[in-house]
């Protein structure tokens, strides 16, 4: 592979011999990206909180679209969070090099970001893990989510939090594809 900026061979520049192969691998998309693309559209999001959080159910919406030449899926939504209306933003992807899914979530209530990476389990569920930093644990604590594909019009995300090596259920979000009008 030649650097077109100055015509020098990459090996002569001290780059690893497999640099071009690595670069090409990271540019490829695969079945995982097709699965992400299948979520493009409008969704109704039903959030059911665990009993420890009041057990309430709230309804929101989100719109998902592909960004960055189809390599990432962006979700923008409006939903209540325990009664307070918020705006949400999520960026989903799949890294062809690490073979990991990724998601970073943002919302209008908090200043923090919530990144997670995950792997596809044998049972078909994507299990994400991340570190959450907040006032309860400024150094961070682990949390995880399980994403379950139900069909092309429905999927579910179950969120777990943890403190002192004890995990507890926080909420289940069910995504139903919105019906066309």
């Amino acid at each position: 592979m030649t650097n077109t900026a100055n015509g020098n061979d990459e090996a002569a520049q001290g780059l690893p011999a497999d640099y071009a192969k690595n670069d090409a691998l990271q540019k490829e998309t695969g079945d995982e990206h097709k699965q992400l693309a299948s979520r493009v559209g409008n969704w109704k999001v039903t959030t059911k909180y665990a009993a420890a959080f009041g057990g309430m159910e709230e309804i929101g919406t989100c719109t998902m679209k592909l960004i960055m030449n189809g390599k990432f899926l962006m979700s923008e939504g409006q939903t209540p969070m325990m009664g307070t209306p918020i705006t949400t933003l999520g960026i989903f992807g799949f890294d062809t090099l690490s073979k990991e899914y990724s998601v970073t979530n943002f919302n209008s209530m908090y200043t923090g970001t919530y990144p997670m990476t995950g792997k596809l389990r044998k049972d078909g569920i994507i299990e994400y893990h991340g570190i959450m930093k907040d006032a309860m644990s400024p150094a961070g604590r682990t949390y995880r989510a399980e994403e379950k594909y139900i069909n092309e019009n429905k999927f579910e995300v179950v969120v777990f939090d943890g403190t002192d090596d004890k995990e507890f259920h926080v909420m289940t979000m069910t995504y139903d594809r919105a019906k066309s009008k």
Side-chain angles (χ1 to χ4, degrees), residues 109-165:
M109 184 178 285
Y110 300 116
T111 59
T113 59
Y114 304 96
M116 297 174 32
T117 57
K119 298 255 185 188
L120 182 64
R121 297 187 327 207
K122 290 181 182 181
D123 62 3
I125 292 173
I126 301 171
E127 185 171 346
Y128 290 96
H129 292 267
I131 302 293
M132 180 178 293
K133 295 179 181 181
D134 61 16
M136 291 188 327
S137 51
R141 67 182 184 278
T142 60
Y143 75 111
R144 71 181 183 93
E146 295 180 349
E147 182 178 300
K148 179 181 179 182
Y149 173 85
I150 297 169
N151 61 46
E152 65 273 1
N153 295 312
K154 187 173 198 156
F155 68 98
E156 185 176 84
V157 177
V158 182
V159 180
F160 301 89
D161 200 344
T163 57
D164 300 325
D165 297 326

Side-chain angles (χ1 to χ4, degrees), residues 5-174:
N6 61 21
N8 292 334
D9 182 273
E10 288 173 346
Q13 295 177 21
L15 295 174
D18 60 353
Y19 182 82
K21 179 181 175 186
N22 180 60
D23 189 51
L25 178 63
Q26 291 184 72
K27 291 178 181 175
E28 290 178 7
T29 58
D31 290 340
E32 297 84 0
H33 296 92
K34 290 176 187 168
Q35 185 271 335
L36 290 172
S38 74
R39 294 191 177 166
V40 167
N42 297 314
W43 296 83
K44 176 179 116 178
V45 184
T46 304
T47 302
K48 174 79 172 159
Y49 291 93
F53 295 93
M56 71 178 81
E57 185 173 291
E58 298 178 314
I59 306 292
T61 60
C62 73
T63 299
M64 297 189 185
K65 65 182 180 179
L66 293 174
I67 60 172
M68 304 292 173
N69 298 320
K71 290 180 173 61
F72 298 91
L73 180 71
M74 181 171 71
S75 172
E76 295 179 282
Q78 303 290 323
T79 192
M81 182 183 276
M82 297 192 172
T84 302
I86 64 168
T87 300
T88 61
L89 176 69
I91 306 292
F92 299 81
F94 181 79
D95 185 329
T96 55
L97 187 62
S98 69
K99 305 291 185 208
E100 286 185 315
Y101 289 88
S102 64
V103 60
T104 299
N105 289 301
F106 311 83
N107 67 62
S108 60
M109 184 178 285
Y110 300 116
T111 59
T113 59
Y114 304 96
M116 297 174 32
T117 57
K119 298 255 185 188
L120 182 64
R121 297 187 327 207
K122 290 181 182 181
D123 62 3
I125 292 173
I126 301 171
E127 185 171 346
Y128 290 96
H129 292 267
I131 302 293
M132 180 178 293
K133 295 179 181 181
D134 61 16
M136 291 188 327
S137 51
R141 67 182 184 278
T142 60
Y143 75 111
R144 71 181 183 93
E146 295 180 349
E147 182 178 300
K148 179 181 179 182
Y149 173 85
I150 297 169
N151 61 46
E152 65 273 1
N153 295 312
K154 187 173 198 156
F155 68 98
E156 185 176 84
V157 177
V158 182
V159 180
F160 301 89
D161 200 344
T163 57
D164 300 325
D165 297 326
K166 293 178 186 171
E167 183 179 83
F168 54 91
H169 176 233
V170 176
M171 67 181 128
T172 299
M173 295 175 289
T174 303

